Amino acid sequence: MQIGCHVSISGSIDKSVDNAVERECSAFQIFTRNPRGWHAKELVPEDIGTFKSKLQASKIDRLATCAHMPYLPNLATPKDDGFAKSVQTLIDEVKRCAQLGIPYLVTHLGSHLGTGEEAGIKRLVEGLTKAGETKNDVIILLENTAGQKNSVGSDFKQLGEIFKQLKPAKKFGICLDTCHAFVAGYDLKTKKDVEKTFSEFDLHVGLENLKILHLNDARGELGCNLDRHYHLGLGGIGKEGISAVVKFANKKKIPIILETPIDDDRDDFENIRVAKGFA
Ligand code: MN
Ligand code: MN
Ligand code: ZN
């Protein structure tokens, strides 16, 4: 089983490996830099070396690590300057992943800001294709969305249509977020619901393209479109559904990453223990 959570790089990027090991992760996700700004300081060669050697010394498989894009880029924006900046950030992040030996970069699909899905998708495909031209082994993963206003890619059929336009195919994959899928209307409450949702995903997107699973319960109910993550088993999806998802991902050998909250009820340590218990 490959399971872990999003971990902090605070201090220096290699600290993320310490944080993952401390939480008994066998998979983890990071931001390679501050996710709330446009600017990223270049990675320091010494830190890259330390990150790699710590990862090698841990029991964590390099192939079970991923990075997540920062928050500001919008690859579906109609604004030319914002689009150019977003694509450049995506390219930069792909390169940073390559430097760190991280195989996957998760990206959101963005917002068309009211110009319509067709226009948004056209931009998105253009931007992703450009980033796909970088010469390295990093795979860009498209994350399904919660279905908020003006977003694209919450519907599996649409996600599949976007994905199939991307070339070269080997540079792209999918990250499925269970909270996003559930609030977008894909039921995951029972074992049967989970089977049905994954077979629908398989039909439109292809399970072979699923490289990372974001395992989050949802604060809201089925189809509410609210992107609020919650502790495993305690949200709208609940124990039976989360447990079925964990078993499914394990069977398919897909690394599981938690993006659950840290509050008085639970922290990462506890949510990871709970997830392992479901296996
Ligand atoms: Mn995300
Ligand atoms: Mn996610
Ligand atoms: Zn989310």
Side-chain angles (χ1 to χ4, degrees):
M1 158 176 220
Q2 290 181 316
I3 187 161
C5 63
H6 188 100
V7 288
S8 168
I9 61 161
S10 179
S12 59
I13 200 146
D14 56 283
K15 295 279 182 353
S16 62
V17 184
D18 304 334
N19 290 329
V21 169
E22 198 190 348
R23 285 161 181 76
E24 296 181 18
C25 296
S26 44
F28 68 89
Q29 173 176 281
I30 58 167
F31 291 118
T32 74
R33 37 75 141 237
N34 171 15
R36 287 179 186 83
W38 282 104
H39 179 73
K41 268 185 270 164
E42 268 193 43
L43 290 166
V44 181
E46 197 192 320
D47 291 348
I48 296 172
T50 315
F51 175 86
K52 285 183 169 176
S53 58
K54 280 185 179 176
L55 187 55
Q56 191 123 49
S58 78
K59 286 182 201 132
I60 304 167
D61 182 356
R62 184 182 69 85
L63 298 176
T65 67
C66 63
H68 194 292
M69 273 283 279
Y71 295 127
L72 296 182
N74 177 4
L75 295 167
T77 181
K79 298 175 185 165
D80 288 335
D81 52 339
F83 180 69
K85 256 164 88 176
S86 299
V87 175
Q88 191 55 52
T89 303
L90 180 62
I91 292 170
D92 291 345
E93 285 300 316
V94 166
K95 289 179 180 165
R96 293 162 75 88
C97 286
Q99 285 181 290
L100 293 163
I102 293 175
Y104 303 116
L105 173 65
V106 178
T107 182
H108 291 172
L109 304 186
S111 164
H112 59 67
L113 304 176
T115 52
E117 290 184 338
E118 200 184 322
I121 290 170
K122 199 167 164 247
R123 282 286 207 185
L124 176 64
V125 169
E126 187 191 326
L128 288 167
T129 303
K130 209 151 178 212
E133 287 166 5
T134 50
K135 298 272 173 287
N136 52 57
D137 297 330
V138 178
I139 297 176
I140 300 168
L141 303 186
L142 283 59
E143 180 172 6
N144 66 310
T145 46
Q148 309 96 310
K149 191 167 182 252
N150 296 340
S151 69
V152 293
S154 63
D155 178 79
F156 291 167
K157 194 160 173 253
Q158 187 183 62
L159 185 63
E161 281 162 10
I162 295 166
F163 185 72
K164 277 161 207 154
Q165 294 181 55
L166 302 173
K167 304 263 153 30
K170 64 169 196 308
K171 289 286 285 179
F172 299 95
I174 301 286
C175 167
L176 184 74
D177 187 305
T178 53
C179 167
H180 299 176
F182 183 73
V183 300
Y186 295 99
D187 207 346
L188 293 164
K189 283 201 282 281
T190 67
K191 189 168 180 268
K192 236 176 140 183
D193 296 329
V194 170
E195 276 165 17
K196 192 171 165 240
T197 290
F198 275 104
S199 72
E200 191 138 340
F201 178 89
D202 191 29
L203 176 70
H204 296 298
V205 190
L207 271 173
E208 70 279 9
N209 299 312
L210 180 56
K211 304 300 182 193
I212 294 282
L213 186 95
H214 278 174
L215 184 71
N216 303 306
D217 208 326
R219 193 86 211 219
E221 273 311 313
L222 178 67
C224 71
N225 297 127
L226 270 184
D227 184 8
R228 287 187 67 196
H229 301 184
Y230 205 50
H231 301 300
L232 303 182
L234 303 182
I237 299 175
K239 274 187 194 160
E240 183 185 340
I242 293 289
S243 161
V245 172
V246 169
K247 289 185 179 95
F248 184 89
N250 282 346
K251 203 168 72 189
K252 300 280 178 197
K253 297 192 162 58
I254 299 160
I256 297 172
I257 305 289
L258 277 58
E259 298 172 309
T260 41
I262 297 169
D263 57 27
D264 292 343
D265 293 320
R266 268 191 211 164
D267 57 13
D268 290 337
F269 293 80
E270 186 62 17
N271 270 310
I272 289 171
R273 272 196 292 272
V274 167
K276 287 179 180 173
F278 284 142

